[in-house]
Amino acid sequence: MIQHMFAKIPLLRRPIYHKQKLIIYMLLLSTIPVLVFGLFITNILTSTIQDQASMYNKMLVQNAQDRMHDQLKKIDELLLQYTYSSRSDYMGILTQYASKELSATDIDTFRQIKSILVNIRSGMEHVIEVDFYSFHSKKILTSDNQFLTEEQFRDPAALDKAKQLSIQGVWIDTRTSLPANTRINQNVLTLIRPVAEDSSTKKTITGAIIAYLDADTLGNKLASKNSYDTHEVFVVNESGQIVFHNDRNDIGTRLSEPNLAQIKQAEALEPVKMSLNGTPSIMSVLPARNQNWYYVSSISEAELYRNVDHVKLWIYSVAALLVLIAALIALHAATSLYRPVRNLTRSIQAIKQGGSEDSDNANMHNEIEQVTRAIHTMLRHNQQLEKNLERYKDKMESHTLHQYLLGNVQEPDARSDLRFVPNDTYIAVILLEFDPWKLYAQYPQNDQYLLYFAIENMAHEVMSTYGSIHTLMMQPGRFLILVARSDALEADQLRKASNHLLEAIQQYLKLSATLSVSYSLQGLTGLPEAYKQADQAARYRFVLHEERTIFINELDPAMSMQFEDIAESTYKILDKLKLSQVDEAEAEFIQLMEGLRDGAVFSVQSIHGFFSQLIGSIYRCMQVHHSIVLTPERHRALLSSLSAQQTLGEVEAFFITSIFNVIRECLAEKSQPAQAEQIRQLVQYIHEHYDQDISLQHCADWMKMNTFQVSRLFKKHTGQNFVDYVIHYRIEQAKLMLTDTDMRIQDIADKLRYNSVQNFIRTFKKTTSMTPGQYRKQFNKDEE
C-alpha cells in the first residue's frame, strides 16, 4: 500500500508543476503589459498636457495679436478713407484743405475741418485726440476745437515724423507722457497718416492726420479669459520698450537686454524659457504683421506645468490597481484554464494509445472531435476565401496597375500583384483618347463601362497575336492597352496594329478617337515613364487632328514647346473665369493669340480642334462654377461660326465678341440682383442696430467683404456715403425721440452712441439747422 502511494507521487507532482508554471506565465503576461502600458500612457499624457499648455500659450499670443491688429487696422482704414486721394477717380476729403491757408477767421473752412475730425473721432475706438496738420499753414486743428501753432501743439516728435512722411503712414510707439503737453497726460500710441495731393507726375504730401490712441485701453484688448494667475501679455518694440501691456502700470517700462535678445531670436510661436522679473517663465513670441513689434505671452513655468505631477500620480495609482486586478484575474484564469487543458491532454494521450473503454475517455474523444470539426470548418472557410480572392484578383491587379502608373505605388509592391513576369522586357503602351463632348453625346456616363468592355474585346481580337494583352480604363473617355512580350515590336508592326485597332473603333463604335503610342524597353520598371510619354503625346491630338496614331518619338520639339505654352495659357484662362475675372481671362486669350501668331508653328486649320475644345472647356467651367449652361443649339451655332473663321485675327475677334462678351453679360445679369439684396440687408441691419456701435469695417466684416467694396456698392445703390447715411438715419430717430418721448437730450445722445452731448448737438444742428432743444420747442409750438 505504501509502495502504491509512493508510485502516485510523480503523477501528483507533475500536474502541480505545470499548473505553477502556467500561473507564473499568466501573471507575467497580464501584469507586464499593464505596467508597460501604464508607463507609456503616463509619458503620452504628460507630453500631451505639456504640449497643450504650450499650445494654449501660443493661442493666447495669437488671439492677442489678432485683436490688436484688428483694432489698429480699423483705425488706420478709417483714417485712410479721409486721406486717400486719386487724381483719376477720387479727391481726398482732407486734401482740399491741406493746401489752403488755415485761419480762425475762415469760419466755414474751420467748421468743415472740425466736423470731419469729429466724424473721424466718433467712428474710432480708443482715440484720445485727432488732429489735422497743414504743412502750408503750419497750423494744427484738434478734434477738441483748438487751433494751434506748431509751438503751441507741443509735440515736436509727432510733427517731425509728419514732415518726414512717405506716401504711407507711420506709427510712433507708446509714449508715457508728452512733455509740456497739457492736453494729453496718459500713455498714448500715435498714428500719423499723410494727406497727399495728386499732380501730373506724382503725389505731394501737403498735410497729415495725427491720431493719439489710448495705449491703456488698447493694452486691455490683449487680455483674455484664462485659468492662469501669472499670465501676462505684452507688446515690446525693437528697443525693448513695452508698447502695450495687459497691466497698464508696465507700459513704457523696458525689458532687460538678455530678455530682449531672446525674444528677437525666438522662432515664431515656439516656446521659449526665460526668467521674467525673476520668475522662470514659458513664453510664446509672435512678430507683429506690420510694425516692428513682438507680441509676447508669458506664463510661469511652475503654473503652466502644475497638472503634470498630478496626472503622473493619478496614472501610477490606476496602473497599480490594474496590475492587482490583472494578477487576480490571471490566478483565476490559470486555475480555470488548467482543468480543460489537463483533460484535453489526457484525451489526446488516450486516443494515441487507442484506449476508449470507459465513458470518460469517450467523452474526451468527443471533445477532440469537436476541436477536429472546428479545424475542418476553418479549412473549408479558408478554401472558400481562396476562391473569393481568386475571383477578385483581376480587380486588385487593375487597381494596382492604375496606381502604379500614376506613381502612387512603388515598383516592388506593384510587381508582387501584377502578372508581368521578368521575361516581359518590352511593353507597348497604347493610350486611347476620345473627345469628351462627342463621347458623352453618344455614350452617357453610365454606359462608359460597357464601352470599356467593347474596347477590351476589340483590343484582344486585334492585338493578341503581338503579345500578352492587358486593358485598363484610366478614367471615363481614356483607355489604356498594354502589349507585353519578351522581344521588341518593330515600329511598322506597332503602327499597323494601332491603326487596325483605330479603324475598328471608328467602324463599330462610330467614335472619333486618337491613339498615342509609347513603349518601355525595361518592362515593368519603365512602365510609368512610358505612360507619361503617351499621356503627353495624347495632348497633341488637337493640332495633329483626331482619328490617327501619334508616336511620341515623332513629335516636333518646337511644336512641343509651343504646345506647353498653349496648355499653360488655357489653364490661366479657366482659372480667371472661375473667379469671374472675365477681363483678365480675355487678356490671357489675347496674349495666347499673339504667341500663336509669333510662333508660326500651327496654322488656323491645324489648331481648329483646339479652339473647339477651348469653347467646350470654357462653358464647362462656367456651368460648374457659375451655373451658366450652354444649350446644344447654342453649342452647334458657336462651332459653326468658329469653322467660318479663316485667320487667327478672325478667331480672336470671334472669341471676344461671341464668347467673352456673352459671358460678361451673363455674369452681370446674375450679380446685379445679388448686390442689391446685399445692400438691402445692410440698410436693414443699420435700421435695426442704429443705437449700437456701427462702423464701415464692422459692416464689411458682417458682409464678408472689404471696406472699399461695401463703400462703393452702398454709394451705387443708395446714392449716399455710408457714414452720411448712418448719421442722417440717427438724426431722424433723434427727431422721433424728441417729439414722441420725454427723454433728455443727454440720454438721446447716449442712446445714439455719441461720445458727448456737444457732438450730438453739433451734428443735429448741422443736419437740421437747429439744436435739439429748439427742434423740440418748435414741434410743441406747432402742436399747440
Side-chain angles (χ1 to χ4, degrees):
M1 183 176 180
I2 295 177
Q3 292 178 350
H4 181 69
M5 291 178 61
F6 277 104
K8 289 186 176 181
I9 289 178
L11 298 176
L12 295 175
R13 291 181 60 189
R14 186 177 180 183
I16 294 175
Y17 170 76
H18 287 292
K19 183 175 182 180
Q20 290 173 344
K21 188 161 64 173
L22 179 61
I23 291 174
I24 292 173
Y25 289 160
M26 291 293 292
L27 288 174
L28 292 176
L29 290 174
S30 60
T31 57
I32 290 178
V34 173
L35 288 174
V36 172
F37 182 72
L39 294 174
F40 177 75
I41 291 298
T42 300
N43 184 49
I44 293 295
L45 287 180
T46 53
S47 299
T48 302
I49 292 174
Q50 292 176 349
D51 292 342
Q52 287 180 344
S54 299
M55 186 64 69
Y56 182 71
N57 204 8
K58 295 178 184 179
M59 180 189 68
L60 292 176
V61 72
Q62 284 180 315
N63 290 341
Q65 189 205 47
D66 292 341
R67 289 194 297 271
M68 185 61 68
H69 177 73
D70 290 343
Q71 292 293 325
L72 299 182
K73 179 181 177 183
K74 290 177 181 179
I75 294 171
D76 194 27
E77 287 183 349
L78 181 59
L79 291 183
L80 181 62
Q81 295 178 31
Y82 289 88
T83 59
Y84 170 77
S85 176
S86 173
R87 188 177 184 86
S88 61
D89 57 0
Y90 180 76
M91 183 65 175
I93 298 175
L94 289 172
T95 304
Q96 54 184 321
Y97 302 109
S99 59
K100 291 183 177 181
E101 181 68 36
L102 297 183
S103 173
T105 59
D106 188 353
I107 302 301
D108 291 336
T109 301
F110 194 71
R111 182 181 302 165
Q112 291 171 358
I113 297 176
K114 286 196 300 181
S115 177
I116 293 172
L117 294 179
V118 169
N119 287 341
I120 295 175
R121 183 174 178 181
S122 64
M124 295 192 298
E125 299 178 338
H126 315 297
V127 176
I128 300 174
E129 181 177 297
V130 180
D131 304 327
F132 174 66
Y133 178 25
S134 171
F135 292 173
H136 178 73
S137 302
K138 296 184 179 181
K139 299 291 180 60
I140 299 95
L141 181 62
T142 72
S143 58
D144 292 333
N145 201 20
Q146 296 189 39
F147 191 55
L148 306 175
T149 64
E150 293 178 338
E151 292 78 11
Q152 294 171 338
F153 189 65
R154 295 180 180 178
D155 189 359
L159 298 182
D160 290 343
K161 286 285 186 180
K163 295 175 183 177
Q164 300 171 10
L165 280 176
S166 64
I167 199 65
Q168 301 294 331
V170 66
W171 294 87
I172 299 179
D173 290 347
T174 299
R175 293 174 285 176
T176 55
S177 65
L178 299 180
N181 189 327
T182 58
R183 304 187 316 279
I184 302 174
N185 57 357
Q186 59 193 93
N187 297 329
V188 293
L189 174 69
T190 308
L191 169 60
I192 306 174
R193 176 158 285 283
V195 178
E197 179 179 4
D198 281 354
S199 66
S200 59
T201 58
K202 63 178 183 179
K203 288 188 176 181
T204 303
I205 299 176
T206 56
I209 285 290
I210 303 174
Y212 293 97
L213 313 180
D214 190 343
D216 295 338
T217 58
L218 281 173
N220 293 334
K221 292 292 182 179
L222 295 173
S224 59
K225 293 183 179 179
N226 64 86
S227 57
Y228 296 100
D229 298 331
T230 59
H231 179 238
E232 294 184 28
V233 183
F234 58 90
V235 179
V236 61
N237 62 17
E238 288 191 330
S239 65
Q241 178 195 359
I242 294 180
V243 181
F244 301 113
H245 199 291
N246 58 341
D247 186 355
R248 66 176 61 189
N249 296 324
D250 290 334
I251 296 178
T253 60
R254 291 188 174 274
L255 292 179
S256 64
E257 290 297 330
N259 285 352
L260 180 60
Q262 282 184 284
I263 289 175
K264 289 183 177 180
Q265 297 173 2
E267 295 288 338
L269 296 179
E270 290 298 323
V272 179
K273 292 185 179 181
M274 67 175 67
S275 178
L276 186 65
N277 299 325
T279 303
S281 303
I282 302 296
M283 295 186 177
S284 289
V285 181
L286 185 61
R289 301 176 187 174
N290 300 320
Q291 294 86 13
N292 294 325
W293 298 343
Y294 299 91
Y295 289 82
V296 182
S297 175
S298 171
I299 302 176
S300 70
E301 186 174 356
E303 186 179 15
L304 190 63
Y305 296 149
R306 64 186 175 186
N307 293 328
V308 173
D309 294 334
H310 297 162
V311 171
K312 285 184 178 179
L313 179 61
W314 181 79
I315 293 178
Y316 286 152
S317 301
V318 173
L321 179 61
L322 292 177
V323 167
L324 179 60
I325 294 173
L328 295 176
I329 294 175
L331 290 174
H332 177 73
T335 303
S336 300
L337 289 175
Y338 180 73
R339 188 175 300 109
V341 169
R342 183 180 59 184
N343 294 336
L344 181 59
T345 303
R346 288 179 178 176
S347 299
I348 294 175
Q349 291 176 352
I351 293 173
K352 288 182 178 180
Q353 295 173 0
S356 57
E357 293 81 1
D358 54 18
S359 60
D360 290 338
N361 287 337
N363 292 332
M364 293 304 101
H365 180 75
N366 292 336
E367 291 178 0
I368 295 300
E369 284 290 336
Q370 294 177 7
V371 175
T372 303
R373 285 196 297 270
I375 293 174
H376 287 308
T377 301
M378 183 183 64
L379 292 175
R380 288 195 300 272
H381 289 168
N382 287 342
Q383 293 174 354
Q384 185 63 37
L385 181 60
E386 290 178 357
K387 293 179 181 179
N388 293 338
L389 289 176
E390 187 66 25
R391 185 183 308 165
Y392 292 109
K393 187 174 182 179
D394 292 338
K395 294 182 179 180
M396 294 169 59
E397 182 181 19
S398 297
H399 175 74
T400 302
L401 178 59
H402 186 276
Q403 295 301 306
Y404 177 55
L405 292 173
L406 297 179
N408 299 329
V409 175
Q410 300 300 317
E411 181 184 352
D413 299 330
R415 188 175 293 276
S416 61
D417 292 336
L418 299 180
R419 298 176 184 175
F420 299 102
V421 296
N423 293 332
D424 295 330
T425 58
Y426 176 90
I427 303 177
V429 178
I430 302 175
L431 188 60
L432 184 62
E433 191 86 14
F434 292 96
D435 185 342
W437 280 37
K438 296 178 181 178
L439 179 64
Y440 294 150
Q442 189 165 350
Y443 293 93
Q445 191 167 4
N446 295 333
D447 296 337
Q448 293 291 303
Y449 285 96
L450 297 177
L451 178 64
Y452 165 66
F453 288 122
I455 293 174
E456 182 180 31
N457 292 332
M458 291 182 183
H460 279 277
E461 181 178 350
V462 173
M463 311 194 71
S464 59
T465 58
Y466 298 99
S468 176
I469 306 299
H470 191 86
T471 59
L472 180 66
M473 183 169 71
M474 300 301 294
Q475 64 187 48
R478 170 173 286 198
F479 304 92
L480 180 68
I481 301 169
L482 302 178
V483 183
R485 51 188 287 154
S486 58
D487 56 335
L489 274 172
E490 296 293 336
D492 292 340
Q493 289 180 303
L494 188 56
R495 182 180 297 279
K496 179 181 178 181
S498 301
N499 290 335
H500 189 186
L501 177 60
L502 188 60
E503 291 172 0
I505 292 173
Q506 294 168 355
Q507 179 180 357
Y508 295 106
L509 299 180
K510 307 300 182 183
L511 285 175
S512 298
T514 303
L515 287 183
S516 56
V517 181
S518 181
Y519 52 84
S520 168
L521 295 178
Q522 298 83 30
L524 190 61
T525 302
L527 194 56
E529 182 63 26
Y531 172 74
K532 183 178 180 181
Q533 292 176 350
D535 180 38
Q536 291 176 345
R539 299 182 183 181
Y540 292 85
R541 66 184 185 276
F542 68 83
V543 295
L544 299 177
H545 301 297
E546 295 179 328
E547 302 180 2
R548 63 165 293 176
T549 303
I550 303 174
F551 283 78
I552 185 64
N553 55 359
E554 297 178 356
L555 295 175
D556 183 3
M559 182 182 297
S560 175
M561 294 178 62
Q562 189 167 10
F563 171 76
E564 295 299 332
D565 294 339
I566 293 173
E568 183 178 357
S569 298
T570 301
Y571 297 145
K572 290 181 179 179
I573 291 171
L574 297 179
D575 290 339
K576 297 297 183 183
L577 290 177
K578 289 178 185 178
L579 302 176
S580 300
Q581 299 174 355
V582 184
D583 294 338
E584 290 81 352
E586 183 177 314
E588 289 289 346
F589 177 78
I590 294 174
Q591 186 176 357
L592 168 63
M593 298 302 293
E594 291 176 355
L596 290 176
R597 283 192 287 268
D598 295 340
V601 176
F602 306 132
S603 64
V604 177
Q605 291 75 18
S606 66
I607 59 175
H608 184 272
F610 162 70
F611 291 120
S612 174
Q613 292 183 17
L614 180 59
I615 292 175
S617 299
I618 288 175
Y619 276 100
R620 282 198 298 273
C621 173
M622 300 308 296
Q623 180 177 358
V624 172
H625 296 280
H626 305 290
S627 300
I628 297 177
V629 181
L630 178 65
T631 62
E633 295 78 10
R634 178 61 177 164
H635 177 218
R636 286 192 293 269
L638 287 174
L639 293 182
S640 177
S641 299
L642 175 63
S643 62
Q645 313 307 315
Q646 300 299 321
T647 66
L648 289 175
E650 292 177 356
V651 172
E652 180 178 345
F654 166 76
F655 265 81
I656 292 175
T657 57
S658 300
I659 303 299
F660 292 108
N661 286 346
V662 172
I663 291 176
R664 193 179 285 107
E665 292 174 1
C666 293
L667 291 177
E669 292 176 0
K670 292 175 66 67
S671 63
Q672 279 293 111
Q675 292 177 357
E677 176 61 21
Q678 285 180 314
I679 297 303
R680 187 196 66 78
Q681 293 178 0
L682 177 57
V683 170
Q684 183 179 355
Y685 180 84
I686 294 172
H687 291 180
E688 294 175 353
H689 301 82
Y690 70 91
D691 57 349
Q692 301 177 14
D693 291 332
I694 299 178
S695 66
L696 182 61
Q697 181 64 51
H698 174 76
C699 293
D701 294 341
W702 179 70
M703 296 179 67
K704 298 181 179 179
M705 300 170 65
N706 60 51
T707 54
F708 296 106
Q709 289 176 316
V710 174
S711 179
R712 179 177 58 83
L713 292 177
F714 196 91
K715 176 71 174 179
K716 175 181 177 182
H717 289 275
T718 65
Q720 289 183 273
N721 292 326
F722 174 84
V723 174
D724 294 339
Y725 185 88
V726 174
I727 291 174
H728 282 83
Y729 186 77
R730 284 177 169 173
I731 294 301
E732 291 300 320
Q733 297 301 313
K735 291 179 180 179
L736 295 177
M737 296 177 194
L738 289 169
T739 58
D740 297 345
T741 68
D742 296 330
M743 292 177 63
R744 298 184 306 158
I745 296 176
Q746 175 69 51
D747 296 336
I748 295 175
D750 293 341
K751 182 175 179 60
L752 296 180
R753 313 302 290 180
Y754 283 90
N755 55 0
S756 68
V757 69
Q758 290 79 12
N759 287 339
F760 169 64
I761 293 174
R762 283 195 295 269
T763 304
F764 192 93
K765 186 175 182 181
K766 180 181 178 181
T767 305
T768 63
S769 301
M770 63 180 67
T771 65
Q774 293 172 343
Y775 182 85
R776 176 174 276 174
K777 291 179 181 179
Q778 181 67 35
F779 178 81
N780 292 335
K781 182 178 179 180
D782 293 342
E783 287 293 320
E784 293 175 359

